[in-house]
């Protein structure tokens, strides 16, 4: 996919995140790896009116290589760069504040299900990264111990970070994390999840970990 096509895809996914209530009008951010550079959403821009030419091209040090002069890269871009450093297999990052998953982040609780088969394959669990002030290097202080095993992290007291081989996969992980969090919260209203047998949970999680490991080796 050409860079201009990647930029258009970013705009479309960002708008989809907004319309599905995963971010407010001016919050959240997306980045995509594009060979020797990264494409990143601008800071504080209306998602309903954002266009592909507003997406910035940035190098590995965070220096803007190409973009409209009035646009500034997201203040969270250093967090994205750390992801790309730790995970060469990652092609895109999505950061949002979806309601249910962010509720777990605000409570400092990982998203773990004993009753949803799919989430145990896709995630195993979604751990909580140690709190760091948004926009600072502290936000990714615990990434090194988590990202090799997980494609979604809860940012403590903040929100959600999802990564994937490409943008649609990163977005799909973010969407699945929100859905899982919502199901867990609803099951609490019904008295809690009906747990799968422990050996079945271990088999599902082991299979998912194998798939994630294979993806990182490619």
């Amino acid at each position: 996919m050409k860079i201009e096509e990647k930029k258009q895809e970013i705009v479309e996914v960002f708008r989809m995140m907004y319309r599905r209530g995963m971010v407010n009008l001016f919050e959240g951010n997306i980045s995509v790896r594009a060979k020797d550079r990264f494409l990143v959403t601008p800071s504080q821009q209306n998602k309903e009116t954002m266009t592909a030419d507003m997406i910035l091209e940035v190098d590995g040090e965070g220096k803007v290589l190409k973009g409209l002069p009035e646009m500034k890269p997201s203040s969270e871009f250093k967090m994205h760069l750390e992801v790309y450093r730790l995970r060469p297999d990652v092609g895109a990052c999505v950061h949002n504040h979806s309601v249910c998953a962010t509720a777990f982040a605000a409570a400092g609780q990982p998203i773990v299900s004993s009753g949803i088969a799919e989430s145990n394959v896709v995630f195993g669990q979604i751990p909580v990264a140690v709190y760091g002030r948004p926009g600072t290097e502290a936000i990714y202080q615990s990434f090194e111990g988590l990202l090799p095993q997980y494609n979604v992290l809860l940012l403590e007291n903040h929100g959600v970070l999802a990564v994937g081989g490409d943008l649609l996969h990163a977005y799909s992980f973010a969407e699945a994390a929100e859905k899982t969090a919502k199901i867990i919260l609803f099951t609490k209203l019904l008295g809690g999840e009906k747990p799968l047998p422990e050996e079945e949970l271990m088999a599902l999680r082991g299979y998912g970990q194998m798939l994630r490991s294979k993806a990182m080796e490619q």
Side-chain angles (χ1 to χ4, degrees):
M1 188 183 293
K2 297 178 180 178
I3 282 184
E4 295 310 314
E5 293 173 331
K6 287 178 180 286
K7 289 181 179 180
Q8 185 58 41
E9 184 180 47
I10 290 172
V11 170
E12 291 169 2
V13 170
F14 217 10
R15 197 164 292 152
M16 186 161 53
M17 285 170 57
Y18 171 63
R19 292 177 178 173
R20 296 187 180 183
M22 300 174 77
V23 290
N24 290 338
L25 196 63
F26 297 111
E27 69 181 16
N29 37 77
I30 292 173
S31 69
V32 170
R33 193 195 298 268
K35 295 183 180 179
D36 64 338
R37 60 193 60 198
F38 303 93
L39 311 178
V40 60
T41 49
S43 179
Q44 294 291 304
Q45 295 299 314
N46 183 336
K47 291 166 185 60
E48 290 282 28
T49 58
M50 186 177 293
T51 56
D53 63 336
M54 294 180 180
I55 306 301
L56 297 152
E57 298 181 28
V58 181
D59 68 13
E61 302 299 320
K63 179 183 177 182
V64 176
L65 302 174
K66 184 178 179 181
L68 298 175
E70 64 270 25
M71 297 293 140
K72 303 294 181 184
S74 167
S75 62
E76 306 281 19
F77 188 58
K78 287 183 179 180
M79 174 177 72
H80 294 240
L81 286 179
E82 179 68 0
V83 172
Y84 294 121
R85 184 184 74 82
L86 293 170
R87 291 278 301 271
D89 61 305
V90 165
C93 301
V94 169
H95 169 49
N96 68 67
H97 305 138
S98 57
V99 175
C100 295
T102 299
F104 277 84
Q109 296 181 18
I111 297 174
V112 185
S113 171
S114 62
I116 307 171
E118 291 79 7
S119 72
N120 279 282
V121 173
V122 174
F123 302 119
Q125 68 166 311
I126 302 174
V128 182
V130 175
Y131 174 76
R133 186 178 299 166
T136 71
E137 295 181 4
I139 199 170
Y140 52 79
Q141 61 186 297
S142 61
F143 279 18
E144 192 163 2
L146 296 172
L147 270 176
Q149 290 81 40
Y150 302 101
N151 290 324
V152 182
L153 304 179
L154 298 180
L155 306 176
E156 191 172 35
N157 299 106
H158 184 174
V160 182
L161 175 69
V163 307
D166 57 37
L167 180 52
L168 288 182
H169 278 94
Y171 170 76
S172 73
F173 288 139
E175 189 176 57
E178 175 64 8
K179 183 178 180 180
T180 298
K182 188 178 294 184
I183 291 171
I184 291 172
L185 291 174
F186 274 120
T187 59
K188 290 180 185 294
L189 297 176
L190 297 171
E193 295 178 288
K194 178 183 178 181
L196 290 161
E198 188 65 23
E199 60 271 20
E200 179 65 9
L201 283 174
M202 293 301 99
L204 292 169
R205 292 170 184 172
Y207 178 62
Q209 184 59 55
M210 180 196 70
L211 293 178
R212 288 190 291 277
S213 297
K214 285 182 67 175
M216 284 188 281
E217 291 170 1
Q218 292 176 358

